Amino acid sequence: MFAKPVTEIYPDPPVGLDPLALDEARIPKHVAVIMDGNGRWAKKRALNRLRGHRAGIDAVRETIRAASDSGVRYLTIYSFSTENWKRPDDEVEGLMELFAKTMLAEVDGLHEEHVRVRTIGDMSRLPKDAREAFEEAWEKTRGNDGMTLIVAVNYGSRQEILHAVQGIVDEAVASGEAPVVDGDLFERNLYTAGVPDPELLIRTSGELRVSNFLLWQLAYTEFYCTDVLWPDFNRYEFLRALLSYQSRDRRFGGV
């Protein structure tokens, strides 16, 4: 359900983009986003990569508001993968500092909008400041009943799957009984336990790969890929993704 009239959510659309075409009854419950292109955005402007990451914060803020106002219940953003540790040390250190500062700066506003903030991934490797900022955001917003913002940080889907398998094994060893492993048991051991699978995945900057993101959960997700670099992504690009999703016939393997 829209939080306000759709013309207020999308007040100044580009020519040819009609917010009134958005069907309130067919908004995806869960949208996942691979935010790509910060580095290329910075390079085009002869700036260092961290400037691109900082510019991407505005796109995150805009997307959160548009998703929440449009009735999306879960928004998962891929902020840092397990493979991203391979980047130069100064970029990784800058990103971790940016995570901490941004989360602390934004949490009050998210709380006021009733957004609940949680993370998925292995938080143990994060610096103390970043880890504590995410923990503080969770503690402050955990009781909210609005959209859930899921930040995937130090996240890798293969690692998540191995973590789930290990959890099932540990439980079997502790109980002394071999469990019947089915989809429900497996999903209860994923980082995303209790969260519905994404209906829509958005990837920016023209890339067409999954990048070790939600491999189990994306089994029947609709993909929307755009050439727009992440810092240039705004609520109207989000609207384009929603309209594209609503134009599709989802048959889940049926006729």
Side-chain angles (χ1 to χ4, degrees):
M1 180 178 295
F2 296 149
K4 59 184 74 169
V6 71
T7 51
E8 291 184 22
I9 303 171
Y10 303 102
D12 190 23
V15 174
L17 188 63
D18 182 11
L20 294 175
L22 196 60
D23 183 351
E24 185 175 14
R26 297 181 60 222
I27 297 295
K29 179 180 289 187
H30 185 177
V31 176
V33 184
I34 300 177
M35 307 176 295
D36 201 2
N38 290 343
R40 273 166 281 179
W41 184 93
K43 185 177 180 180
K44 285 174 63 175
R45 291 159 177 79
L47 302 171
N48 66 43
R49 290 176 60 87
L50 275 175
R51 290 286 296 276
H53 294 309
R54 292 190 187 102
I57 295 300
D58 287 338
V60 172
R61 189 180 296 115
E62 177 96 346
T63 301
I64 291 170
R65 288 186 178 133
S68 179
D69 287 346
S70 297
V72 173
R73 298 301 299 163
Y74 298 87
L75 177 68
T76 300
I77 56 174
Y78 201 9
S79 62
F80 192 88
S81 76
T82 50
E83 290 76 28
N84 288 157
W85 295 105
K86 300 173 186 176
R87 294 183 177 185
D89 289 346
D90 60 342
E91 182 178 354
V92 171
E93 290 170 7
L95 275 168
M96 292 299 157
E97 182 179 350
L98 185 62
F99 290 154
K101 288 182 176 179
T102 301
M103 199 72 266
L104 291 174
E106 297 292 331
V107 66
D108 286 342
L110 293 170
H111 185 48
E112 288 175 4
E113 295 178 19
H114 308 287
V115 173
R116 179 170 51 183
V117 181
R118 59 169 290 190
T119 59
I120 55 173
D122 180 4
M123 302 295 288
S124 65
R125 191 174 174 184
L126 269 61
K128 184 172 181 286
D129 287 351
R131 190 170 61 251
E132 288 182 348
F134 285 119
E135 289 171 354
E136 180 178 327
W138 165 244
E139 289 301 328
K140 184 159 194 169
T141 66
R142 64 190 302 174
N144 290 343
D145 59 1
M147 186 183 76
T148 298
L149 171 65
I150 303 170
V151 184
V153 58
N154 195 25
Y155 173 87
S157 189
R158 287 181 173 179
Q159 289 77 1
E160 178 187 27
I161 289 169
L162 291 174
H163 178 271
V165 172
Q166 189 63 56
I168 294 170
V169 171
D170 290 346
E171 185 177 336
V173 170
S175 67
E177 298 180 3
V180 176
V181 180
D182 58 14
D184 288 341
L185 175 61
F186 185 74
E187 288 177 358
R188 287 200 301 273
N189 283 273
L190 291 172
Y191 295 142
T192 55
V195 176
D197 291 342
E199 287 111 329
L200 173 64
L201 171 71
I202 299 170
R203 179 155 192 163
T204 58
S205 84
E207 301 295 347
L208 303 173
R209 57 182 179 271
V210 178
S211 297
N212 197 18
F213 185 50
L214 301 176
L215 298 177
W216 175 273
Q217 298 89 339
L218 294 178
Y220 277 100
T221 300
E222 299 292 331
F223 285 25
Y224 176 84
C225 299
T226 174
D227 290 334
V228 174
L229 301 177
W230 180 249
D232 295 324
F233 194 87
N234 58 30
R235 66 181 57 236
Y236 300 105
E237 297 301 331
F238 187 75
L239 174 60
R240 291 184 198 278
L242 293 181
L243 290 171
S244 176
Y245 167 82
Q246 292 190 350
S247 73
R248 305 183 191 183
D249 180 16
R250 305 188 73 214
R251 297 187 299 276
F252 300 95
V255 177

